Amino acid sequence: MNAHPQRFAGRAIAVTGAASGIGRATAQRLAAEGAHVILLDRDLPGAATTEEAVRSAAGSAAVIGCDLADPASIAAAVTQIADRYPQLGGLIGCAGAVHVDGVQENPFLSKGLAGWDQLFAVNVRGMADLVHQLAPALVAARGVVVTVSSEAAYRSRAGRWIYDATKAALVSVTRSMAAALAPQGVRVLGVAPGGTITEMHINDHADPQAAREQMRGATGGNLLGRLAEPEEIAAAIAFLASDDASFMTGTTVAVDGGGAASR
């Protein structure tokens, strides 16, 4: 028996960044609650692995390639979605980039705007473009949009200032899209996760398995004293995307283990 309520039965919901991390966990959670999940990612093998995991759990999924840094790729994905799903119950934006070309730090004084265009393209412009182009399908279903920002939106770090700026911008864009789409019956919300154990961070290390165990032992700098698992962020996204959050729009919810409260 499925342990989750079927809050999304009969709905098609697209998830960007579905190949790994929070995106994969979100796709699996939504599918477990009855959604047909459209897996959007430029990493097609990774997205196929997510599709296999969803199907092995008796869920429904389909993969569509989409690179949020490439407007042509977005347009092609939108065409496929609009043709196959004229009513789109939701769009969840889990895709994101932390750094450019393997460079984790972008100090303002030494690197200037290096990486600005690529990070803003993936983390802000691509999601806004998807929502704009998919608006007719979202309106037809009175759907919901959930963006994934970060606790970094509310911090100032010299080494990752561009990434932090993109996440702050996404919080603002989320509010603006909510104002634009509310009259059409579409809710737009965001989550701002704290530190989360995902492949994006683990794969930066020579020994990913050791890095995962090290992260599981980290205090996380929050009140709960640990980092989040992707499934915990996915659970919050599922709530916001569901009718249980029907009177919520235009806000970004911190899912950070009390990180903001501890600073």
Side-chain angles (χ1 to χ4, degrees):
M1 178 180 293
N2 195 314
H4 295 295
Q6 297 297 285
R7 295 184 290 188
F8 305 107
R11 301 187 197 181
I13 301 179
V15 180
T16 74
S20 63
I22 293 172
R24 175 174 288 171
T26 298
Q28 291 179 285
R29 176 60 183 257
L30 297 176
E33 294 200 31
H36 171 73
V37 286
I38 306 156
L39 309 173
L40 303 178
D41 209 295
R42 68 177 184 174
D43 176 6
L44 293 179
T49 298
T50 301
E51 180 183 25
E52 182 180 354
V54 168
R55 292 183 182 278
S56 69
S60 176
V63 173
I64 294 178
C66 184
D67 181 353
L68 290 184
D70 181 0
S73 177
I74 292 173
V78 166
T79 296
Q80 292 187 63
I81 295 170
D83 286 346
R84 294 161 62 179
Y85 312 99
Q87 294 193 33
L88 186 64
L91 172 61
I92 316 297
C94 298
V98 176
H99 47 72
V100 179
D101 299 328
V103 179
Q104 296 190 44
E105 300 286 326
N106 294 80
F108 178 73
L109 291 178
S110 61
K111 293 186 179 294
L113 299 184
W116 178 281
D117 289 343
Q118 184 173 342
L119 288 178
F120 266 89
V122 175
N123 293 349
V124 186
R125 190 195 70 202
M127 183 61 184
D129 194 10
L130 266 180
V131 175
H132 171 69
Q133 294 194 49
L134 289 172
L138 289 163
V139 169
R142 298 182 68 85
V144 62
V145 175
V146 182
T147 65
V148 177
S149 179
S150 168
E151 65 176 358
Y154 309 102
R155 296 188 305 194
S156 298
R157 297 179 295 177
R160 295 193 177 182
W161 71 283
I162 297 176
Y163 173 78
D164 296 350
T166 66
K167 293 303 185 177
L170 187 58
V171 171
S172 179
V173 168
T174 297
R175 289 196 299 265
S176 297
M177 293 191 299
L181 289 169
Q184 311 300 320
V186 175
R187 297 185 299 115
V188 185
L189 295 136
V191 295
T196 305
I197 304 171
T198 67
E199 291 85 350
M200 179 183 293
H201 303 293
I202 292 168
N203 291 340
D204 286 337
H205 298 268
D207 186 342
Q209 184 58 39
R212 183 182 294 275
E213 293 307 314
Q214 182 179 11
M215 292 182 76
R216 282 181 172 151
T219 62
N222 57 51
L223 297 181
L224 295 183
R226 63 178 177 83
L227 299 177
E229 295 289 346
E231 293 76 13
E232 294 177 296
I233 311 303
I237 291 170
F239 165 71
L240 293 176
S242 77
D243 292 341
D244 290 334
S246 59
F247 198 57
M248 295 180 69
T249 196
T251 189
T252 293
V253 178
V255 189
D256 62 357
S262 68
R263 290 193 290 272

